[in-house]
Amino acid sequence: ETGVTQSPTHLIKTRGQQVTLRCSSQSGHNTVSWYQQALGQGPQFIFQYYREEENGRGNFPPRFSGLQFPNYSSELNVNALELDDSALYLCASSLGETGNTEAFFGQGTRLTVV
Amino acid sequence: AQSVTQLDSQVPVFEEAPVELRCNYSSSVSVYLFWYVQYPNQGLQLLLKYLSGSTLVKGINGFEAEFKKSETSFHLTKPSAHMSDAAEYFCAVRLSGGSNYKLTFGKGTLLTVNP
């Protein structure tokens, strides 16, 4: 079985720009969650997609948006980048039909905003 | 809302010494509990989880944790540390049941292992 893969692994953007991060979920998983991990902090929940619908959102502004595709891969889009958006962005996939399965995390995308 | 407190930001131990990383949580409803490990510049790997049943949970790499509901704690332990255990450890909770997989994490504990 394939794991969760994220791309790119690193990128640098300028303040005000827009960025798209991508995530391929583990085979058979239909739920994807995104997290932001600032340096020295624990991951913070951004939002979750289940069968292409957003079904949970954390305390992030609307300029953080996402998509889930029919193959359950996902994108995280961030508009009007700010310096504080610099962080490791983690994607996690899980199987949504049962409530007691674990989330599997990708390696993350390191975003630096300058 | 749920919250997680990891009482120590850093825990230094000597190789072969016992390890205890502390975690307390707050929630008004039933939760699942998790410990994840993160190596530098990597994602999170699940060490162990408590969903229900036995309150003593065994995980990978010789780690275990005990769920104590009365103390709202889920401390992680290992009898003997290895150099390879040096990493950041995160305790997390999520609501039990349902399809919302939102994890609430603590701020992490950096485990350093000295020879």
Side-chain angles (χ1 to χ4, degrees):
Chain A
E1 80 186 4
T2 59
V4 179
T5 57
Q6 293 185 240
S7 61
T9 54
H10 297 81
L11 76 165
I12 300 173
K13 289 287 189 177
T14 302
R15 189 172 48 184
Q17 284 188 316
Q18 179 267 343
V19 69
T20 298
L21 310 182
R22 295 179 175 82
C23 173
S24 293
S25 58
Q26 183 156 319
S27 177
H29 285 182
N30 55 17
T31 302
V32 174
S33 305
W34 286 91
Y35 292 80
Q36 179 195 67
Q37 185 180 16
L39 201 61
Q41 300 295 315
Q44 298 287 318
F45 176 75
I46 303 176
F47 45 56
Q48 173 179 298
Y49 279 82
Y50 172 64
R51 292 184 179 274
E52 303 177 57
E53 300 270 338
E54 182 182 299
N55 75 336
R57 189 175 184 93
N59 189 26
F60 281 81
R63 59 189 186 83
F64 285 78
S65 63
L67 282 173
Q68 189 180 31
F69 300 100
N71 66 355
Y72 303 131
S73 65
S74 176
E75 287 182 354
L76 165 64
N77 299 289
V78 187
N79 295 320
L81 283 166
E82 300 176 0
L83 297 180
D84 285 349
D85 296 334
S86 296
L88 180 68
Y89 288 85
L90 295 164
C91 167
S93 76
S94 47
L95 184 59
E97 272 79 16
T98 59
N100 63 355
T101 59
E102 66 187 84
F104 291 83
F105 284 81
Q107 299 288 77
T109 294
R110 174 75 61 187
L111 172 65
T112 302
V113 182
V114 297
Chain B
Q2 298 78 46
S3 67
V4 176
T5 302
Q6 291 186 243
L7 297 159
D8 305 294
S9 60
Q10 186 168 350
V11 171
V13 299
F14 288 105
E15 194 174 14
E16 298 184 5
V19 175
E20 182 182 51
L21 306 183
R22 297 182 293 169
C23 172
N24 286 90
Y25 70 94
S26 174
S27 177
S28 58
V29 296
S30 180
V31 295
Y32 296 149
L33 295 151
F34 304 82
W35 274 99
Y36 285 87
V37 61
Q38 186 176 39
Y39 297 99
N41 300 312
Q42 293 194 21
L44 302 173
Q45 180 183 10
L46 182 70
L47 277 177
L48 48 78
K49 60 187 176 185
Y50 172 77
L51 305 179
S52 64
S54 172
T55 57
L56 184 61
V57 180
K58 294 187 185 299
I60 62 171
N61 302 338
F63 285 95
E64 62 182 38
E66 185 172 11
F67 170 55
K68 293 186 177 179
K69 188 173 182 179
S70 62
E71 299 176 10
T72 60
S73 69
F74 192 55
H75 301 334
L76 182 70
T77 60
K78 183 173 180 178
S80 175
H82 296 159
M83 296 297 289
S84 60
D85 293 328
E88 187 93 33
Y89 291 79
F90 293 95
C91 180
V93 300
R94 60 164 278 229
L95 294 178
S96 64
S99 60
N100 188 331
Y101 281 79
K102 173 187 174 183
L103 288 163
T104 300
F105 287 87
K107 292 189 175 182
T109 298
L110 179 66
L111 177 66
T112 58
V113 183
N114 300 300

